[in-house]
């Protein structure tokens, strides 16, 4: 298992997103943490990737050390990382695309669609050696993607405006081709045939250009979950990753007992995905078996009960328990909106209120949670 996180780099004094990364920053982070860092699409971003971890405790340790390394290196340049899927006031026209053939080719291909994607996410990889099992579990676990998104929301603002959404990142990313919910495939061979059509036509080089909310990784024998926003608090990241891992184990366990999770159409799952994007954990989603809207915390509680045997088997009951804390106190999006509105209520200007949001993000990106 492994986690990737993409941070935005801001000026500590002003809270504004940088447009150009200072020379030497990436090398400094690498010195501090074994080279598990890389560039992202924009020069204002930096991506970290854990090592290959055997359990959730290792995931937490790796993510914590990498966040610390990025923060310490950034501080030397008067900067700070924020773990959030959007910056409250950043303007995409002022951002600089990272140099490199891959990013320049993406920009040439997708044009303004690429240039406006100042968004960050969290990706969770789970190793599944058998490709047939990978495809089978992808089709089943898609049902739970809206719940994972709701727990992770961290992008309520866009270019200085309260969007009214808890995850505006999803709206930005949906303009990119080959995104959204994955197709349902009956076999690995069927998936490969579909990919080959695009490769043979010269549309894509390989499946790394397929950016579904969940996909079989091209580089690793993993099933990569990509639907989530980037949680600001590290413990939220680890808990959501643990929940995804436990869900896959639950579905595998069912399969070993000749059982399956009931499938629903993308049409229905997409409706819950929208509700997660709009309301986060404060809203309701459709319980398809009841045919009714149910508060997200109630649905999440049912999921926690479902994966309890798997959390025990994987040694991550504490992390799964933390999911309840997210539902209780809200996500990063809720915290950002609260900081903004509280600052305004205390007489702050809009600019000062936005700075309060960024200050909260800087603090929460590193600070241990106080539940």
């Amino acid at each position: 298992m492994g986690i990737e996180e993409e941070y935005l780099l801001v000026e500590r004094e002003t809270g504004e997103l940088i447009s150009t990364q200072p020379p030497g920053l990436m090398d400094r982070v690498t010195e501090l943490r074994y080279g598990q860092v890389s560039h992202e699409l924009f020069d204002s971003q930096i991506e970290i990737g854990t090592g290959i971890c055997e359990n959730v405790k290792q995931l937490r340790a790796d993510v914590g050390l990498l966040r610390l390394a990025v923060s310490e290196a950034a501080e030397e340049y008067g900067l700070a990382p924020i773990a959030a899927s959007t910056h409250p006031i950043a303007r995409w026209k002022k951002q600089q695309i990272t140099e490199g053939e891959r990013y320049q080719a993406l920009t040439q291909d997708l044009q303004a669609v690429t240039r406006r994607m100042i968004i960050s996410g969290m990706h969770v990889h789970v190793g599944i050696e058998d490709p047939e099992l990978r495809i089978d579990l992808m089709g089943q676990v898609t049902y739970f993607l809206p719940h994972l998104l709701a727990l992770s929301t961290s992008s309520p603002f866009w270019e200085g405006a309260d969007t009214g959404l808890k995850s505006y990142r999803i709206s930005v990313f949906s303009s990119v081709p080959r995104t959204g919910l994955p197709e349902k495939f009956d076999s690995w061979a069927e998936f490969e045939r579909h990919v080959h059509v695009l490769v043979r036509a010269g549309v894509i080089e390989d499946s790394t250009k397929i950016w579904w909310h969940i996909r079989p990784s091209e580089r690793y024998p993993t099933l990569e979950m990509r639907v989530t926003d980037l949680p600001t608090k590290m413990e939220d990241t680890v808990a959501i990753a643990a929940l995804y891992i436990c869900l896959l184990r639950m579905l595998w366990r069912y399969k070993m007992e000749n059982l399956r999770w009931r499938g629903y159409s993308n049409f229905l799952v997409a409706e819950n995905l929208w509700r997660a994007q709009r309301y986060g954990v404060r809203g309701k989603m459709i319980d398809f078996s009841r045919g009714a809207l149910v508060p997200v915390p109630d649905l999440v509680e049912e999921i926690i009960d479902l994966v309890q045997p798997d959390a025990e088997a994987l040694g991550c009951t504490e992390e799964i328990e933390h999911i309840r804390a997210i539902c209780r106190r809200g996500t990063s999006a809720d915290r950002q909106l609260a900081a903004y509105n509280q600052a305004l209520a205390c007489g702050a200007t809009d600019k000062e209120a936005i700075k309060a949001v960024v200050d909260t993000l800087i603090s929460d990106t590193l600070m241990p949670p106080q539940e």
Side-chain angles (χ1 to χ4, degrees):
M1 57 188 76
I3 292 176
E4 298 165 347
E5 291 189 315
E6 302 157 347
Y7 308 133
L8 297 167
L9 296 169
V10 301
E11 297 176 352
R12 272 193 174 272
E13 186 174 341
T14 67
E16 293 189 4
L17 187 66
I18 66 170
S19 58
T20 304
Q21 193 176 121
L25 174 60
M26 189 68 69
D27 292 337
R28 183 62 181 133
V29 179
T30 301
E31 290 173 10
L32 291 169
R33 190 54 187 163
Y34 313 120
Q36 294 170 302
V37 294
S38 60
H39 293 283
E40 247 301 321
L41 178 60
F42 289 97
D43 221 23
S44 56
Q45 293 174 300
I46 187 167
E47 181 181 58
I48 63 96
T50 68
I52 300 172
C53 300
E54 295 183 359
N55 55 61
V56 174
K57 299 295 186 289
Q58 289 181 8
L59 277 182
R60 174 192 282 111
D62 250 19
V63 172
L65 289 171
L66 284 161
R67 285 195 179 205
L68 182 61
V70 173
S71 179
E72 288 182 352
E75 190 171 11
E76 295 175 14
Y77 295 85
L79 307 177
I82 59 171
S85 282
T86 57
H87 184 279
I89 60 172
R91 305 282 174 172
W92 64 265
K93 290 183 179 180
K94 295 182 178 180
Q95 290 301 299
Q96 180 173 313
I97 302 291
T98 301
E99 293 182 3
E101 184 179 345
R102 175 177 173 80
Y103 299 121
Q104 296 301 320
L106 272 176
T107 305
Q108 180 62 34
D109 182 27
L110 301 179
Q111 294 294 311
V113 170
T114 297
R115 291 193 292 270
R116 68 189 293 265
M117 283 202 302
I118 320 174
I119 54 176
S120 297
M122 171 183 72
H123 305 159
V124 182
H125 289 262
V126 177
I128 303 173
E129 188 173 352
D130 180 4
E132 296 296 341
L133 181 60
R134 224 175 298 154
I135 285 295
D136 185 17
L137 295 190
M138 181 176 78
Q140 294 185 65
V141 81
T142 295
Y143 171 88
F144 298 99
L145 296 183
H147 308 80
L148 295 170
L149 173 62
L151 290 164
S152 71
T153 53
S154 66
S155 50
F157 294 99
W158 182 253
E159 296 197 337
D162 175 357
T163 65
L165 308 182
K166 297 298 177 66
S167 174
Y168 192 70
R169 163 188 153 270
I170 292 288
S171 294
V172 177
F173 199 58
S174 64
S175 61
V176 178
R178 302 178 295 280
T179 57
L181 295 171
E183 293 289 332
K184 296 186 186 304
F185 301 102
D186 292 329
S187 67
W188 179 257
E190 185 183 10
F191 166 71
E192 287 195 313
R193 283 197 300 272
H194 279 73
V195 174
H196 184 62
V197 170
L198 300 186
V199 172
R200 185 175 56 189
V203 176
I204 60 175
E205 297 82 24
D206 52 47
S207 64
T208 61
K209 296 292 181 68
I210 297 172
W211 297 293
W212 293 328
H213 292 321
I214 186 170
R215 69 180 183 183
S217 172
E218 172 74 18
R219 298 188 177 97
Y220 313 108
T222 63
L223 189 56
E224 179 188 5
M225 187 274 292
R226 305 164 49 84
V227 72
T228 47
D229 272 10
L230 174 57
T232 304
K233 291 177 177 284
M234 186 192 76
E235 288 297 327
D236 292 4
T237 284
V238 176
I240 293 167
L243 182 58
Y244 170 60
I245 295 163
C246 285
L247 284 167
L248 289 178
R249 190 185 185 280
M250 178 195 74
L251 295 172
W252 168 81
R253 176 165 52 87
Y254 282 5
K255 185 178 177 68
M256 295 302 99
E257 299 168 359
N258 292 318
L259 300 172
R260 290 182 65 82
W261 190 259
R262 179 177 175 182
Y264 294 92
S265 70
N266 280 358
F267 170 71
L268 293 177
V269 176
E271 190 63 31
N272 269 350
L273 199 65
W274 158 250
R275 299 193 66 83
Q277 177 187 356
R278 170 67 176 85
Y279 300 107
V281 294
R282 301 300 193 208
K284 298 179 179 180
M285 286 189 206
I286 307 168
D287 183 319
F288 298 129
S289 63
R290 302 180 210 176
L293 287 172
V294 177
V296 170
D298 293 350
L299 294 174
V300 169
E301 191 64 39
E302 292 176 4
I303 294 173
I304 291 173
D305 289 341
L306 285 171
V307 303
Q308 195 61 41
D310 309 284
E312 292 173 0
L314 295 172
C316 59
T317 54
E318 181 182 348
E319 288 78 11
I320 296 302
E321 178 66 28
H322 181 77
I323 295 292
R324 293 190 173 101
I326 299 175
C327 291
R328 185 170 59 249
R329 48 97 164 132
T331 65
S332 172
D334 298 308
R335 186 158 166 78
Q336 289 178 55
L337 291 166
Y340 179 74
N341 290 322
Q342 182 178 1
L344 291 179
C346 292
T349 64
D350 189 71
K351 183 177 180 179
E352 291 167 339
I354 289 291
K355 179 60 166 52
V357 172
V358 177
D359 288 344
T360 298
L361 288 171
I362 293 173
S363 175
D364 285 353
T365 295
L366 272 181
M367 184 181 295
Q370 303 294 321
E371 304 301 351

